Amino acid sequence: MINTQIKPFNATAFKNGEFVEISEKDVLGKWAVFFFYPADFTFVCPTELGDVADKYEELQSRGVEVFSVSTDTHFTHKAWHDSSDTIGKINYFMVGDQTGNITNNFNVMREGQGLADRATFLIDPEGTIQAMEITAEGIGRDAEDLLRKVKAAQYVAAHPGEVCPAKWKEGEATLAPSLDLVGKI
């Protein structure tokens, strides 16, 4: 999936108290995070979505839009948003993918269950997948690490010929792969 283009889609999302129609065209031209989760009104999911909500302003300041996606409807997203303090703080797109089209496009549909895996995809402005993470049902993701990956991907995109080593944080040294560097790390 890395370095592949996102596929066409159309869906209805809940955002800022309204239902909005979105497509892959809304993703192109900006950095985007697709944050798949199994279902609304569950257990690990709201902790992850709330964690991303806490980082949303910083992600926005970096030109990143967030699209959370489950196979629930946009109506269910609104009901959850209205009934949960944690989910109520979300200002990013909550995409209803009841047809499973988007979930299948990213190859994270649980066969025979109609639910998305717990998966994150970082998309660059050209619509190319630059990073992905898929975890087992009981393992929640960390928005701080997602933000670190966003910063690294944006840095690498802006600085061809440089790469970010493990645990890289913004402002730290990067590497410039070359024959001289082989065997010296």
Side-chain angles (χ1 to χ4, degrees), residues 19-177:
F19 295 131
V20 293
E21 298 301 316
I22 62 167
S23 75
E24 75 285 353
K25 292 176 183 81
D26 296 301
V27 179
L28 300 176
K30 66 184 83 135
W31 288 86
V33 169
F34 277 73
F35 198 82
F36 290 88
Y37 63 99
D40 291 0
F41 295 100
T42 56
F43 314 103
V44 175
C45 300
T47 65
E48 295 180 310
L49 294 168
D51 191 31
V52 172
D54 292 341
K55 298 293 183 193
Y56 184 59
E57 189 174 315
E58 188 170 356
L59 288 163
Q60 285 275 276
S61 75
R62 300 193 68 84
V64 179
E65 188 53 77
V66 175
F67 299 86
S68 66
V69 185
S70 78
T71 55
D72 296 292
T73 67
H74 53 287
F75 299 112
T76 306
H77 293 330
K78 181 192 183 311
W80 196 23
H81 190 273
D82 292 349
S83 65
S84 165
D85 290 341
T86 300
I87 301 306
K89 65 184 177 180
I90 292 174
N91 292 317
Y92 50 78
F93 291 92
M94 298 181 75
V95 182
D97 185 32
Q98 63 271 22
T99 66
N101 183 49
I102 303 167
T103 305
N104 281 313
N105 282 353
F106 283 86
N107 201 29
V108 292
M109 180 69 80
R110 294 180 186 173
E111 191 172 333
Q113 294 184 33
L115 300 174
D117 279 327
R118 202 172 296 290
T120 308
F121 294 85
L122 175 59
I123 316 297
D124 71 17
E126 288 75 43
T128 304
I129 298 171
Q130 293 297 323
M132 60 185 276
E133 174 183 27
I134 302 173
T135 66
E137 175 66 25
I139 302 170
R141 293 160 286 177
D142 182 346
E144 186 65 41
D145 193 51
L146 171 60
L147 183 58
R148 183 191 67 77
K149 290 174 187 172
V150 166
K151 291 175 182 179
Q154 289 179 334
Y155 184 91
V156 169
H159 300 89
E162 292 183 49
V163 295
C164 297
K167 299 185 197 178
W168 179 85
K169 299 230 180 345
E170 192 171 34
E172 293 181 350
T174 58
L175 301 172

